[in-house]
Amino acid sequence: MSLSNSPSIRAIERRLLARWPETKLEPSLDRIVSVLRLLGDPQRRYRSVHITGTNGKTSTARMIEALLAGSGERTGRLTSPHLTSVRERIGIAEEVIGVPAFRSAFSAVGKQAELVDASMPHPLSFFEMTVAMAYRAFADAEIDIAVVEVGMGGRWDATNVIDADVAVVLPVDLDHTDYLGPTTTAIAEEKAGIIGPGSVAVSALQSQEVAAVLRERAQTVDARLVSQGADFILERRTVVEGGQVISVRGLYRSYSNVFLALHGRHQAENAACAIAAAEGALGRELELGAVRAALGQAASPGRFDVRPGSPLVILDAAHNPHGARALAESLTELAPCRTFAVIAAMADKNVEGMLRELEPVVDVVVCTRNSSPRSLAPAKLAATARQVFGAQRVHVAFNVATALDKARTLAAPLPGNEPDGLVLVTGSVVTVGDANQVLPADTPRRPMGQPLPG
């Protein structure tokens, strides 16, 4: 296919989105296995790190990628969901996949997908297509190691056709209970499915029930389980402008006084897991300078993504109570000020649980809807918000753009020279993506804090 006849990125996205949505699941790896076999099993041509957990997967994936790249590895990265473009899901050598490579991967996978669709009871889904495209693109780019985030769960996730050298299980909490099970134990059993024979399994801090599930899985498949708090640990953290300074004892050595350009204790804990995962993948200690360079430039768009300005805007894709709790803790570490939250969430989420976690740190809520057809109606969201915040603290807006305008107006200084408040946008990745599209293009993505010497 000549470049002039190649479909546009928008056309490719439309064709991908016309498939089964990633929220519609049919537990089987048959389709992804079949299409990859027709492609020559590209996922076998490089090593991999696989990441699951309830929250923090994308941020941790980006940190692992940066640590491995800083150690001389050519990397690929697969994360989900995206904020504004499907291309964001696939990274090559720490950059979003280029347009020609994206088109090439779509063309290669699309031809084989037609054969699989015709032979299976259900067609390949949107998510299965993007996974196959990523695995093909990684092989074409001749990467050394892929850092792969699961879409949902683990055992039946389309990404789980790699033989990962390292499996990372971040904190497990309740989410997607309709698919993964009603308890953290049931959810952990699904997520533990990414731990393969002979791999290194890196576990974040977990409840006793979840830890027991991971131990049993590791023993069953003869994997080496390393756990935070025992085999590696976050020793210290200090909040500084633009992020925090952390010290981590890894699997092979300690890394002291490392500036992390991300906010919140949860990101410091994620960084500790990322260091252990990178060490496990390489089988050795990391260079301190490489760790400082990687974490000092860490960025995770849409995850406590601070946009300086007047007022300050924070984008955070928290979409469940566990994520909202981490968000609330991060907000408390900023200088105290009034907080005006723009919230739009999916109708199938535990909205009341999220709101109750945010209530102590949010002054006013502007309830709205995002661009997804799954979005909860603003009136229904507002009804729940009034039960949590009280009627006087709740406003309603038609969409994210108008809600953002309302929140900015409310955050303006009050008489008496009270300082600006800050605007928080949260509730879903789609909500954050909608806000990202209307924020000024030249707004910095995060404060450029400087590492401390040491």
Side-chain angles (χ1 to χ4, degrees):
M1 180 183 294
S2 68
L3 189 61
S4 60
N5 293 327
S6 298
S8 68
I9 296 301
R10 285 185 178 275
I12 292 174
E13 289 190 354
R14 285 195 298 269
R15 289 165 68 176
L16 289 172
L17 291 169
R19 289 182 166 270
W20 270 23
E22 52 195 332
T23 54
K24 186 175 182 180
L25 302 179
E26 195 275 325
S28 170
L29 296 179
D30 291 345
R31 293 176 299 279
I32 188 70
V33 166
S34 295
V35 76
L36 289 172
R37 185 176 296 127
L38 290 171
L39 291 166
D41 284 324
Q43 77 280 10
R44 307 292 182 210
R45 301 181 205 170
Y46 39 82
R47 308 187 322 276
S48 55
V49 176
H50 209 177
I51 307 166
T52 190
T54 300
N55 294 297
K57 296 184 291 295
T58 297
S59 298
T60 306
R62 286 177 170 272
M63 285 188 272
I64 295 172
E65 178 193 30
L67 289 165
L68 291 173
S71 300
E73 302 289 313
R74 181 167 171 80
T75 58
R77 183 192 72 244
L78 172 61
T79 56
S80 62
H82 59 274
L83 293 181
T84 57
S85 170
V86 175
R87 280 200 303 129
E88 298 168 23
R89 296 180 178 227
I90 304 173
I92 306 288
E94 298 189 277
E95 299 288 343
V96 173
I97 186 171
V99 171
F102 186 77
R103 283 175 170 160
S104 177
F106 174 75
S107 176
V109 173
K111 291 175 183 176
Q112 307 306 333
E114 292 177 4
L115 299 176
V116 175
D117 290 345
S119 65
M120 293 284 176
H122 302 286
L124 284 157
S125 69
F126 164 83
F127 185 68
E128 288 167 331
M129 285 289 291
T130 58
V131 170
M133 288 170 61
Y135 288 170
R136 171 60 183 252
F138 294 161
D140 288 346
E142 298 183 339
I143 68 163
D144 300 311
I145 188 164
V147 181
V148 177
E149 172 189 342
V150 305
M152 184 188 301
R155 178 171 53 166
W156 297 112
D157 191 74
T159 61
N160 199 27
V161 290
I162 49 177
D163 296 321
D165 301 78
V166 177
V168 181
V169 184
L170 297 172
V172 174
D173 209 303
L174 296 176
D175 196 21
H176 301 297
T177 53
D178 47 345
Y179 289 108
L180 303 181
T183 67
T184 54
T185 299
I187 293 171
E189 289 171 351
E190 290 296 322
K191 294 183 184 295
I194 73 166
I195 301 174
S199 65
V200 176
V202 177
S203 174
L205 296 170
Q206 308 285 1
S207 67
Q208 291 183 358
E209 295 80 7
V210 170
V213 171
L214 300 183
R215 282 196 302 271
E216 181 178 356
R217 171 66 180 181
Q219 290 170 358
T220 300
V221 299
D222 195 25
R224 175 193 173 198
L225 178 65
V226 293
S227 300
Q228 187 171 2
D231 303 289
F232 65 97
I233 189 170
L234 173 67
E235 295 181 319
R236 291 185 301 278
R237 66 180 288 265
T238 303
V239 177
V240 298
E241 181 181 359
Q244 51 195 312
V245 174
I246 64 173
S247 293
V248 173
R249 175 169 58 78
L251 303 179
Y252 292 94
R253 64 165 290 179
S254 293
Y255 307 88
S256 300
N257 298 324
V258 175
F259 174 71
L260 173 63
L262 296 172
H263 297 266
R265 169 171 284 279
H266 65 293
Q267 293 290 25
E269 304 283 3
N270 290 341
C273 291
I275 287 172
E279 288 180 317
L282 297 174
R284 59 172 173 81
E285 67 181 47
L286 309 177
E287 294 290 337
L288 180 57
V291 173
R292 287 177 171 169
L295 299 187
Q297 295 298 318
S300 190
R303 282 79 179 173
F304 211 84
D305 186 349
V306 181
R307 307 294 182 88
S310 182
L312 191 75
V313 177
I314 296 176
L315 307 180
D316 193 278
H319 58 276
N320 53 44
H322 184 263
R325 189 179 315 131
L327 170 57
E329 291 172 358
S330 297
L331 285 170
T332 62
E333 293 185 349
L334 295 180
C337 63
R338 297 173 300 140
T339 300
F340 300 84
V342 171
I343 299 180
M346 301 305 179
D348 59 347
K349 293 298 181 179
N350 182 357
V351 173
E352 182 177 350
M354 285 190 280
L355 293 174
R356 291 200 181 279
E357 294 290 349
L358 293 174
E359 190 276 332
V361 296
V362 169
D363 295 270
V364 173
V365 173
V366 182
C367 298
T368 187
R369 70 163 66 246
N370 60 43
S371 56
S372 169
R374 296 171 50 226
S375 184
L376 183 64
K380 291 184 177 180
L381 177 58
T384 302
R386 292 185 187 104
Q387 295 176 11
V388 176
F389 286 83
Q392 298 301 314
R393 296 166 63 189
V394 177
H395 298 257
V396 179
F398 178 71
N399 57 31
V400 170
T402 56
L404 194 53
D405 286 341
K406 183 182 286 289
R408 282 170 152 169
T409 299
L410 292 169
L414 295 174
N417 296 320
E418 183 173 338
D420 285 6
L422 68 83
V423 173
L424 169 68
V425 181
T426 192
S428 167
V429 171
V430 179
T431 306
V432 168
D434 291 349
N436 187 62
Q437 290 185 308
V438 299
L439 286 170
D442 59 348
T443 301
R445 302 196 70 84
R446 58 185 173 88
M448 300 301 293
Q450 296 298 316
L452 298 184

